[in-house]
Amino acid sequence: MAKRRYVARGVPGGYGIWDNKARRWWGDRYELCPDDLLAELNGAADPARITAQLKRYRALRR
């Protein structure tokens, strides 16, 4: 199995997305683990679907 570029890591207050290639945090912090967002980032990486996932997770925080 190939090494994943983006992984969810636990941070105080929820989860953050860690970029293994750039070695830095990507995006916002999330209360729930963003499994489908991670699958899209590590898979096809379609910008429209990534944007839709980001909007959905931001709406959950409100």
Side-chain angles (χ1 to χ4, degrees), residues 1-7 9 18 20-21 23 42:
M1 185 174 177
K3 186 175 179 182
R4 295 176 184 239
R5 179 171 178 178
Y6 298 98
V7 293
R9 290 193 175 174
W18 179 255
N20 281 318
K21 187 174 181 182
R23 294 185 177 267
N42 286 316

Side-chain angles (χ1 to χ4, degrees), residues 40-59:
E40 185 63 35
L41 287 169
N42 286 316
D46 178 31
R49 291 189 357 201
I50 291 173
T51 302
Q53 294 291 337
L54 288 172
K55 287 181 181 179
R56 188 176 74 118
Y57 280 107
R58 284 186 187 131

Side-chain angles (χ1 to χ4, degrees), residues 26-62:
W26 183 91
D28 299 326
R29 302 294 182 260
Y30 305 97
E31 290 181 14
L32 302 173
C33 187
D35 293 325
D36 43 354
L37 177 59
L38 286 170
E40 185 63 35
L41 287 169
N42 286 316
D46 178 31
R49 291 189 357 201
I50 291 173
T51 302
Q53 294 291 337
L54 288 172
K55 287 181 181 179
R56 188 176 74 118
Y57 280 107
R58 284 186 187 131
L60 289 174
R61 289 193 325 191
R62 295 180 189 154

